[in-house]
């Protein structure tokens, strides 16, 4: 049985220049999709071909005001996105109803100070979710609702020391669910010959659990944010007709969020979200582009990944 997918999109963008230095831009888009998938039909409730299907509607609206001045520019933007997802059984009865909305505001400024390029900003976001799973024995369940807010401040300084470029950046997020979360990064690029440029970076990363991972029927209120450290380095080789870029990286993540069946509550028979104590990934990425002619170019990308679970009892898995 075929599981098809269809999608339609409509979008509108508009802008108005009050002057050469002050411009307003707006956008709105709407997407509707329908997909068929397989399920777990009665009476055995085992995975099989079924007529289950779902519909998803997503809307995004944004408004940005940009002001350019002598040594930089600043932008104030407002945005809102909403998602409505409805899943249905083969007979057309609803099996999952979800609503979500994100409202955000962001102020961003960039400034050139002598040989240094500075940028920074402030951001605010509110994420709201509601979902319910109707069934034959409970056709009108009370929806589960949850929300979270996050305030952020971020900045970066970038400077060229001759042919060497250095960038330092930092970000602080204050979440109503998890308190303060910080990330930092440093990056460096330098030439190693007329056609070779080296690049390297090191930084931390943070990913807070989503509302669904925390509060859905598969959720775990005790989830903690992922915290990772990544180091990478490589080189870019350029020629008259193209370039090749090689990058080697290593990433360690603590409390990685994943879906599984261990540590679930008694009523979570079909799995739940949880934290993996420690994971490690190393890899090599190679990409290149070459101009075959004035009207044709070829681009390729290759990745090799080596990922392992380093948690107690799972080392090497």
């Amino acid at each position: 049985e075929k599981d098809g997918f269809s999608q339609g999109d409509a979008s509108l963008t508009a802008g108005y220049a009050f002057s050469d230095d002050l411009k307003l831009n707006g956008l709105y888009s709407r997407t509707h999709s329908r997909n068929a998938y397989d399920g777990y039909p009665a009476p055995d409730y085992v995975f099989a071909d079924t007529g289950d299907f779902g519909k998803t509607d997503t809307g995004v609206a944004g408004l940005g005001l940009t002001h350019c001045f002598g040594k930089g520019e600043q932008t104030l933007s407002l945005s809102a996105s909403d998602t409505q997802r409805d899943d249905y059984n083969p007979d057309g009865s609803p099996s999952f109803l979800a609503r979500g909305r994100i409202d955000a505001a962001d102020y961003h400024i960039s400034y050139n100070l002598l040989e240094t390029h500075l940028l920074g900003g402030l951001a605010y976001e509110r994420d709201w979710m509601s979902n319910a799973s109707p069934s034959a024995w409970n056709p009108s369940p009370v929806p589960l609702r949850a929300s979270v807010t996050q305030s952020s401040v971020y900045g970066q300084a970038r400077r060229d020391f001759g042919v060497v470029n250095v960038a330092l950046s930092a970000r602080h997020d204050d979440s109503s669910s998890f308190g303060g979360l910080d990330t930092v990064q440093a990056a460096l690029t330098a030439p190693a010959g007329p056609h070779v440029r080296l690049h390297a970076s090191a930084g931390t990363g943070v990913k807070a659990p989503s509302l669904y991972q925390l509060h859905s029927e598969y959720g775990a209120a005790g989830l903690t944010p992922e915290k990772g450290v990544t180091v990478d380095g490589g080189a870019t080789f350029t020629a008259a007709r193209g370039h090749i870029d090689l990058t080697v990286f290593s990433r360690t993540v603590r409390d990685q969020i994943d879906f599984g069946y261990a540590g679930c509550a008694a009523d979570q028979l079909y799995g739940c979200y949880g934290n993996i104590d420690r994971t490690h990934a190393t890899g090599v990425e190679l990409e290149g582009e070459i101009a075959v002619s004035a009207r044709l170019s070829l681009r390729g990308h290759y990745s090799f990944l080596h990922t392992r679970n380093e948690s107690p009892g799972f080392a090497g898995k």
Side-chain angles (χ1 to χ4, degrees), residues 91-106:
D91 61 4
S93 59
S95 59
F96 181 70
L97 306 174
R99 307 290 182 267
R101 182 179 176 89
I102 298 176
D103 298 310
D106 185 274

Side-chain angles (χ1 to χ4, degrees), residues 151-209:
S151 302
S152 308
V153 57
Y154 56 90
Q156 183 187 72
R158 188 174 70 246
R159 181 169 181 173
D160 293 326
F161 296 90
V163 294
V164 178
N165 179 271
V166 178
L168 302 173
S169 59
R171 181 183 178 102
H172 174 77
D173 298 306
D174 191 4
S175 169
S176 62
S177 296
F178 299 99
L181 303 171
D182 298 304
T183 55
V184 294
Q185 186 180 54
L188 170 71
T189 66
H195 302 291
V196 180
R197 191 166 185 88
L198 304 178
H199 56 82
S201 70
T204 62
V206 174
K207 178 182 180 297

Side-chain angles (χ1 to χ4, degrees), residues 223-242:
L223 281 178
T224 59
E226 297 180 0
K227 295 182 178 180
V229 177
T230 299
V231 178
D232 68 73
T236 301
F237 307 88
T238 58
R241 299 174 59 187

Side-chain angles (χ1 to χ4, degrees), residues 13-26 63-66:
T13 61
Y16 182 78
F18 297 97
S19 66
D20 291 340
D21 301 327
L22 187 63
K23 299 178 181 180
L24 181 69
N25 291 287
L63 195 65
L65 182 66
T66 300

Side-chain angles (χ1 to χ4, degrees), residues 250-275:
S250 174
R251 181 182 68 242
T252 300
V253 179
R254 295 187 179 276
D255 295 320
Q256 180 172 314
I257 300 170
D258 203 355
F259 187 85
Y261 297 90
C264 300
D267 58 346
Q268 292 179 316
L269 304 178
Y270 302 106
C272 63
Y273 290 97
N275 289 112

